[in-house]
Amino acid sequence: MVGGTVLTGIRFRVLGAVGAERGGKPLALGSTKQRCMLALLLLEPNRLVHVDRLTSLLWGEHPPPAARGTLQAYVSRLRQALRVDPEVALTSSGPCYRLDADPDRIDLQRFRRLVGQAAETGGEPAVALLREALALWRGRALDDVAPEHLRSTVCANLNDERLNAWETLADLELGRGHHTVVLRDLTDLAEQYPLRERLAAQLMIALYRNSQRADALAHYRALRSRLAVELGIDPPAKLDDLHRRMLRDDAGLLAGSARTSPPLGAGGDARPSEAGAPVVVPAQLPADLATFTGRGADLGQLPDPQEFAGAMVVAAIDGMAGVGKTTLAVHWAHRIAGHFPDGHFFIDLHSHSGDLEPVTAQTALDRLLRDLGVPGERVPDGLDARAGLYRSVLAGRRVLIVLDDAGREEQVRPLLPGSPGCLAIVTSRRRLAGLEAAYQVSLDVPPQSEAAALFTRVASTRALADEPAVAEVLTLLGRLPLAIRIAAARLRARPSWTPRYLAERLRDERHRLAELDTGERGVAAAFALSINGLPDAQRRLFRLLGLHPGADLDAPAAAALTAGTAGTDVGMLLERLVDENLLLSPHPGRYQLHDLVRAYAAERATAEEPEAARGDALTRLFDHYADTAARAAHLLYPHDAAVAAVVVVAADPDRFIDVQQAADWLDGELPNLVATAAHAARCGDAAHPLRLSRILWRHLAERSRFGVALALYGHTLDAAAQAGDAAGQARALVDLGTVHGRLGHFEESLTHLRHALELYRSVADRQGEVRTLSNLGVVHERLGHYQQAIDHLNQALPLYRSAGDLAAEASALVNLGISYGRLGRHAESLDHLLRALALHRKTGNRGGEGRTLVNLGLVYERTGRDDDALEHHRQALDLFAALGSVDQQGDPFNGIGNVLRRRGEYAEAIEHHHRALELFRAVGNQGGEAEALNDLGRTLRAAGRGAEALARHLESLPLAERARDRYEQARALEGIARGYADLDDTAQAVGYGQGALALFTDLGAPESGEMSARLNGWAPPPSR
């Protein structure tokens, strides 16, 4: 009940087994993964959740290639299940999904509301609210659906909320003297969570009050032993104090006493100063920068000083040069300085300070002891002796010490205080993983909004006048704080400069680091200090990585670059560069350079590697990518003759253990493959781009990676033109024409294909000419030139058969089937499509199989075989989803909508048309969008929603015209005519109807007769 109103709609459960019910009856929510997806959306109701986040949460670091398609299928099925409640909606917005529902319909949200109300009320009402909240739990969160990686992250956090609520309830009940009420629950929970200290203290108090003093003391001893064995630590001071008080039977522990545990922060007595001597409390922190901006998320990872009064805490902040480690450490130290009344120390350990030698731990201890008032003659010589005296002097004190620019753990450990309540903040360019139990914060560049705020604060308000230029500057600087401060200071110091002018100066990557040079504190100088102390093998690998043209790489690619680095393991070298924060590793086994670090590495490569060595490294890299791509593509498409022709026998035959691994590699490396093709083309190397195009064309088509395909084929065309290779240019033009045709850009497609045909004929390449004619046939079919399409395709078909090219023969058969269908010759259409289906299945071309299934579905639609049509469309949809071919799912979604319309299932039909529209729009397929709008219009009209139907046809017409899809133009005109006829606007109806009739007649489509009869039934337009 909410506000006195009984909720009669769907109620959702995630606190235990995931489920939903309405009116007491459970809803069928599908598979485990599908219910897990629903649960993840229920954790963030009424908020957009990006598909990348859902994919990561559902499958972890290695999602299947078809993850997005699978998510779409889950969403479609969940929508059907949730349709029973109009107040619940599962919607999409771009690449995001959102579940809209009253939060009180979700047990987790009700739990959180009740816990929040308890915190506000307190007392007996709070007890009742917490018990009501905890009663909602029926087991662990997401108990029956969560994969292992979710159990240790999302579910662990949710279960912590439950435990916190239990502990709050226990505090309230203990405060009321109700220790027997909570004793059993506390005993059970302590068995499940034996290291939870608050729970242990509560159980000890409940046992003690229940006359079970021996059990309470035994529980403390068991906890102390477990902490020592499993974590290597002692119990916190509060538990130690509670134990001592029980040993002496402190009356304050009994119910109703003023307090039952030691106060937060209780510690040793303050040390008196010597008589007459002034007390000087060290306060060595550098000034906090007035321009400090943002870093809220990073500050949130650092510990709260109020939580570690009973322990000495270390916070280790690491990150690349210039990312702002010291700035953050000093800012945070100033914010929390009040918690450390006995002094604030700052020591620069100079591990990356050029000519200065790193400060040893022994030297640092000498300074610290003197700053703490120890006379020089009393400072011992040995490291261990100094460390022991240092900790003795700090005993009972609360101090903060910043150890800046540390190099290794051994430099830091002796400088850590031993007294509870102290804090050491360590900054380092390398991750100090060996600092046990330290809070580790790896600092990345700030988000765009914080970077812009920093730039504006340093540069002054002039930067506010041109936000797009500032955004470009930040992109060029990779949002590195040191670079931002330098560039913004230059802008501030030069009144004649504008952000746009600064961006122009930074665009040339060859001179970008020079623009950020301020001498010893410039960006390049900062990077140099990180590099110069590295071993030779690491330095060579670092500079060669600067030659890599892509955004990231794996160890085999790095090995190709560095062939000749004898006796080294490239994988280990890469990980050591990650440890030094010179290399990023956003995913296991993947490595990338910050943009400015990449520019610096390239400068070092140019300066230190001979030109021939750089050329050899790039050639090895290009060969590695092409050879590995060919291996993967051949495994995926074994019957593709074009791929088989370029597989290198010498390439590693065991590179991939199965088809899935090959597909994952190709999908993941596509950006690098395109980048290498572009780089090779710029260097005048036409062979690599041409080879990559032949290797990847089928995979790009199957995966609907049209943007990648256009980029790759564009680079290939440039390289072939530069090399004077007419056949290579023709091949690239055919590939470009094919992609533009798939996108509905028929004019561009025709232009490319006609140019390719000229080039193939100029070099007497008959095979290439036939391939081009076949593709021209496809475009003519889409333009409504059905007889021309049939003529072109019938020329190509026997040549494909004689050459034994089964894949090309199947493709030609499909397109012939489509053209015959458009002309109403359904028997011939069905014959060609069934033959094509058999060939696609024989060659394992699953993408071709899916397209053939869609077209068979269309033929069955036109011939009244609705069950067969629905079955073929659904088979195609499942197949495309499995392949991850997002754009191709639009056709079967739309086809299913058409069948459902004829069955009178209008609401579901409309939903399928809308899903098709989303997919076509996502890839920019205007022809597909026009078709889906026309079909949606027909369905809306059948559902009695004539005005909406007319609007959809009016929306379709300009899209069809831009795509030069004459068939969809005719259908749009027909739909508009019907809409105006429904509105009794005969003049408009006849005008648009005559336009439709003219197009249908010109196309030779059977709809012309139907349109002519319809016009005869309408009154002629009034005379003017």
Side-chain angles (χ1 to χ4, degrees):
M1 179 173 292
V2 181
T5 302
V6 177
L7 291 175
T8 58
I10 297 176
R11 308 297 294 271
F12 295 99
R13 303 185 305 272
V14 297
L15 303 180
V18 173
E21 63 179 35
R22 183 171 183 267
K25 296 181 179 179
L27 298 181
L29 297 176
S31 67
T32 298
K33 270 283 192 290
Q34 188 167 299
R35 287 186 294 122
C36 187
M37 178 185 179
L38 174 63
L40 295 173
L41 293 172
L42 290 169
L43 299 185
E44 303 181 58
N46 307 308
R47 292 179 58 187
L48 291 172
V49 184
H50 199 284
V51 293
D52 290 345
R53 174 170 167 74
L54 289 170
T55 300
S56 174
L57 290 172
L58 280 171
W59 287 285
E61 296 178 349
H62 303 291
R68 287 204 173 200
T70 304
L71 285 179
Q72 291 162 2
Y74 290 164
V75 167
S76 179
R77 294 166 191 154
L78 286 170
R79 282 174 176 159
Q80 297 303 312
L82 302 178
R83 283 176 58 196
V84 295
D85 187 345
E87 295 184 11
V88 175
L90 179 49
T91 61
S92 60
S93 177
C96 300
Y97 293 109
R98 180 175 67 196
L99 192 138
D100 293 316
D102 183 337
D104 242 56
R105 296 175 181 271
I106 306 164
D107 57 1
L108 171 62
Q109 309 308 325
R110 291 203 304 281
F111 168 79
R112 287 172 171 169
R113 175 177 63 78
L114 291 165
V115 170
Q117 288 176 349
E120 293 173 3
T121 58
E124 188 171 344
V127 171
L129 288 166
L130 286 169
R131 289 202 176 279
E132 182 182 351
L134 289 164
L136 296 169
W137 287 78
R138 296 156 292 98
R140 295 180 302 175
L142 281 62
D143 193 32
D144 61 335
V145 301
E148 194 58 40
H149 65 274
L150 275 191
R151 294 191 186 280
S152 60
T153 53
V154 174
C155 298
N157 294 334
L158 294 174
N159 291 324
D160 272 345
E161 290 187 48
R162 180 191 191 187
L163 275 175
N164 288 332
W166 264 115
E167 289 169 343
T168 302
L169 176 63
D171 278 341
L172 290 169
E173 294 286 32
L174 290 170
R176 300 163 70 202
H178 297 169
H179 51 273
T180 57
V181 172
V182 293
L183 180 55
R184 181 171 180 177
D185 287 330
L186 286 172
T187 303
D188 292 342
L189 288 170
E191 287 181 3
Q192 296 176 50
Y193 305 97
L195 298 180
R196 199 166 174 97
E197 294 157 4
R198 183 182 177 190
L199 203 58
Q202 291 172 333
L203 177 58
M204 288 170 66
I205 292 168
L207 288 167
Y208 185 87
R209 291 182 182 177
N210 202 46
S211 301
Q212 295 175 254
R213 177 178 180 270
D215 292 334
L217 295 173
H219 186 72
Y220 170 82
R221 290 193 299 272
L223 174 64
R224 181 179 61 189
S225 174
R226 195 157 192 163
L227 286 171
V229 171
E230 296 187 18
L231 301 180
I233 62 174
D234 295 325
K238 290 178 69 174
L239 273 177
D240 276 339
D241 183 64
L242 180 60
H243 177 245
R244 286 193 295 271
R245 292 174 68 194
M246 286 183 176
L247 287 172
R248 63 175 185 262
D249 287 320
D250 188 335
L253 293 176
L254 297 176
S257 63
R259 62 180 175 89
T260 60
S261 59
L264 184 66
D269 297 332
R271 296 178 180 273
S273 63
E274 294 181 17
V279 178
V280 178
V281 178
Q284 300 174 358
L285 296 178
D288 192 9
L289 288 179
T291 54
F292 183 90
T293 304
R295 291 297 190 187
D298 299 301
L299 288 166
Q301 295 184 60
L302 295 165
D304 185 340
Q306 295 181 351
E307 296 179 0
F308 56 76
M312 193 285 294
V313 172
V314 180
I317 304 172
D318 67 89
M320 65 183 289
V323 80
K325 301 178 293 298
T326 302
T327 303
L328 177 68
V330 170
H331 175 78
W332 185 50
H334 277 284
R335 279 180 50 172
I336 61 175
H339 294 277
F340 305 95
D342 298 318
H344 316 131
F345 300 86
F346 183 93
I347 294 185
D348 189 341
L349 296 174
H350 293 299
S351 294
H352 302 90
S353 296
D355 296 335
L356 295 176
E357 287 293 322
V359 177
T360 65
Q362 191 163 337
T363 301
L365 282 168
D366 179 73
R367 175 185 151 183
L368 284 166
L369 287 168
R370 292 170 189 269
D371 290 343
L372 286 164
V374 178
E377 64 272 14
R378 292 183 55 193
V379 175
D381 290 333
L383 175 63
D384 291 342
R386 287 184 180 182
L389 178 59
Y390 168 64
R391 292 186 178 118
S392 297
V393 171
L394 288 181
R397 300 190 188 184
R398 299 191 57 153
V399 301
L400 181 158
I401 178 169
V402 179
L403 303 172
D404 190 44
D405 194 19
R408 292 289 187 272
E409 289 87 345
E410 56 267 23
Q411 188 184 21
V412 171
R413 281 198 191 93
L415 309 181
L416 301 178
S419 185
C422 293
L423 170 66
I425 307 173
V426 186
T427 74
S428 176
R429 293 191 183 187
R430 69 187 307 274
R431 186 172 179 84
L432 301 178
L435 289 182
E436 297 82 0
Y439 287 82
Q440 297 281 357
V441 178
S442 292
L443 208 57
D444 199 354
V445 296
Q448 181 74 12
S449 59
E450 291 184 10
L454 173 61
F455 185 90
T456 302
R457 293 189 71 176
V458 177
S460 81
T461 55
R462 281 194 303 128
L464 295 172
D466 196 344
E467 290 185 9
V470 171
E472 183 183 1
V473 168
L474 296 174
T475 299
L476 294 169
L477 299 177
R479 304 199 308 276
L480 185 69
L482 174 61
I484 292 171
R485 290 183 180 278
I486 292 172
R490 293 192 74 189
L491 182 64
R492 186 186 184 101
R494 291 164 173 77
S496 64
W497 283 23
T498 64
R500 191 168 301 278
Y501 177 69
L502 177 61
E504 290 174 4
R505 294 179 68 94
L506 291 169
R507 281 183 196 134
D508 188 344
E509 186 174 328
R510 295 170 299 174
H511 305 299
R512 192 174 302 156
L513 289 175
E515 292 288 337
L516 304 171
D517 184 10
T518 62
E520 292 183 358
R521 292 191 57 79
V523 173
F527 293 157
L529 293 172
S530 294
I531 295 299
N532 292 341
L534 297 179
D536 290 346
Q538 288 185 49
R539 287 204 309 274
R540 181 170 186 266
L541 172 60
F542 172 78
R543 60 181 179 259
L544 288 176
L545 292 178
L547 301 177
H548 190 280
D552 69 348
L553 80 170
D554 58 9
L561 275 171
T562 59
T565 306
T568 61
D569 182 334
V570 171
M572 289 299 298
L573 291 179
L574 289 167
E575 289 297 330
R576 287 170 186 161
L577 289 175
V578 172
D579 291 340
E580 299 290 342
N581 276 305
L582 287 164
L583 195 60
L584 306 173
S585 183
H587 304 289
R590 303 297 302 183
Y591 306 92
Q592 64 185 48
L593 293 165
H594 181 277
D595 288 346
L596 292 179
V597 178
R598 180 194 306 280
Y600 178 70
E603 282 189 4
R604 294 286 292 249
T606 301
E608 300 175 34
E609 294 284 335
E611 183 177 356
R614 298 197 305 273
D616 290 344
L618 284 172
T619 298
R620 290 193 302 269
L621 179 71
F622 296 163
D623 286 341
H624 159 74
Y625 276 130
D627 293 347
T628 312
R631 279 284 171 195
H634 189 50
L635 191 59
L636 283 167
Y637 314 107
H639 298 286
D640 191 313
V643 173
V646 292
V647 175
V648 176
V649 176
D652 181 6
D654 300 320
R655 179 66 175 82
F656 304 108
I657 60 175
D658 55 25
V659 171
Q660 186 61 55
Q661 190 183 43
D664 290 346
W665 186 91
L666 274 180
D667 289 334
E669 295 291 353
L670 279 178
N672 281 328
L673 297 174
V674 174
T676 58
H679 192 83
R682 287 194 298 270
C683 296
D685 174 2
H688 279 100
L690 285 166
R691 185 171 177 227
L692 278 173
S693 292
R694 296 181 68 187
I695 292 167
L696 294 175
W697 78 270
R698 182 171 294 284
H699 188 70
L700 295 175
E702 298 296 340
R703 289 290 197 270
S704 305
R705 300 297 298 272
F706 300 132
V708 175
L710 289 174
L712 175 61
Y713 303 147
H715 297 316
T716 303
L717 180 61
D718 293 342
Q722 186 177 347
D725 181 356
Q729 292 179 67
R731 172 89 191 193
L733 286 164
V734 170
D735 291 336
L736 284 167
T738 302
V739 175
H740 280 296
R742 287 280 297 276
L743 288 170
H745 307 158
F746 300 122
E747 188 167 347
E748 294 93 329
S749 180
L750 279 175
T751 299
H752 288 310
L753 291 171
R754 285 168 177 163
H755 188 191
L757 192 61
E758 293 173 5
L759 288 170
Y760 274 133
R761 285 173 174 167
S762 71
V763 295
D765 186 335
R766 180 58 176 159
Q767 187 176 2
E769 182 181 346
V770 169
R771 180 170 179 247
T772 310
L773 284 168
S774 181
N775 281 280
L776 279 167
V778 175
V779 179
H780 280 301
E781 178 272 317
R782 295 299 294 153
L783 288 169
H785 307 153
Y786 303 126
Q787 194 55 56
Q788 284 179 270
I790 290 169
D791 292 343
H792 281 307
L793 291 163
N794 276 326
Q795 288 181 60
L797 190 60
L799 294 170
Y800 287 145
R801 284 175 181 155
S802 62
D805 192 340
L806 300 182
E809 180 185 350
S811 179
L813 286 167
V814 169
N815 291 302
L816 278 166
I818 294 170
S819 296
Y820 284 126
R822 292 291 196 199
L823 293 172
R825 295 159 64 176
H826 300 309
E828 292 168 276
S829 174
L830 190 61
D831 173 63
H832 283 78
L833 290 171
L834 289 171
R835 287 156 57 197
L837 184 65
L839 284 176
H840 281 314
R841 286 173 171 168
K842 180 177 180 180
T843 61
N845 183 351
R846 302 195 70 207
E849 179 184 348
R851 289 187 290 275
T852 310
L853 287 167
V854 169
N855 285 290
L856 279 166
L858 293 173
V859 175
Y860 291 134
E861 284 179 45
R862 294 173 185 139
T863 55
R865 295 167 61 177
D866 283 353
D867 288 344
D868 290 332
L870 196 60
E871 175 62 24
H872 282 72
H873 284 311
R874 284 177 172 162
Q875 285 183 36
L877 186 61
D878 291 342
L879 196 153
F880 288 142
L883 289 174
S885 299
V886 176
D887 79 303
Q888 297 192 79
Q889 295 175 46
D891 287 318
F893 267 119
N894 202 45
I896 292 169
N898 289 333
V899 177
L900 294 173
R901 175 183 65 245
R902 284 193 294 278
R903 291 183 169 183
E905 300 173 26
Y906 300 128
E908 193 173 351
I910 289 168
E911 183 177 336
H912 279 78
H913 292 314
H914 278 298
R915 192 72 189 93
L917 269 175
E918 291 174 10
L919 293 166
F920 287 132
R921 285 169 176 164
V923 297
N925 186 343
Q926 293 185 340
E929 187 179 349
E931 182 178 358
L933 283 166
N934 280 329
D935 286 323
L936 174 59
R938 293 188 67 181
T939 302
L940 288 167
R941 184 171 184 271
R945 295 159 61 177
E948 294 175 72
L950 177 59
R952 297 293 80 77
H953 290 300
L954 286 167
E955 189 179 352
S956 172
L957 183 58
L959 288 168
E961 289 171 343
R962 283 198 294 272
R964 293 188 62 193
D965 191 330
R966 297 168 72 226
Y967 184 72
E968 292 306 325
Q969 289 178 52
R971 292 184 67 220
L973 289 168
E974 177 193 19
I976 295 168
R978 290 189 182 194
Y980 281 122
D982 292 340
L983 296 172
D984 294 327
D985 189 339
T986 307
Q988 290 275 36
V990 172
Y992 280 101
Q994 288 175 338
L997 176 60
L999 272 175
F1000 280 136
T1001 303
D1002 186 49
L1003 292 169
E1007 288 90 342
S1008 58
E1010 180 185 344
M1011 194 67 238
S1012 178
R1014 192 174 301 281
L1015 281 171
N1016 290 332
W1018 292 336
S1023 59
R1024 296 185 183 276

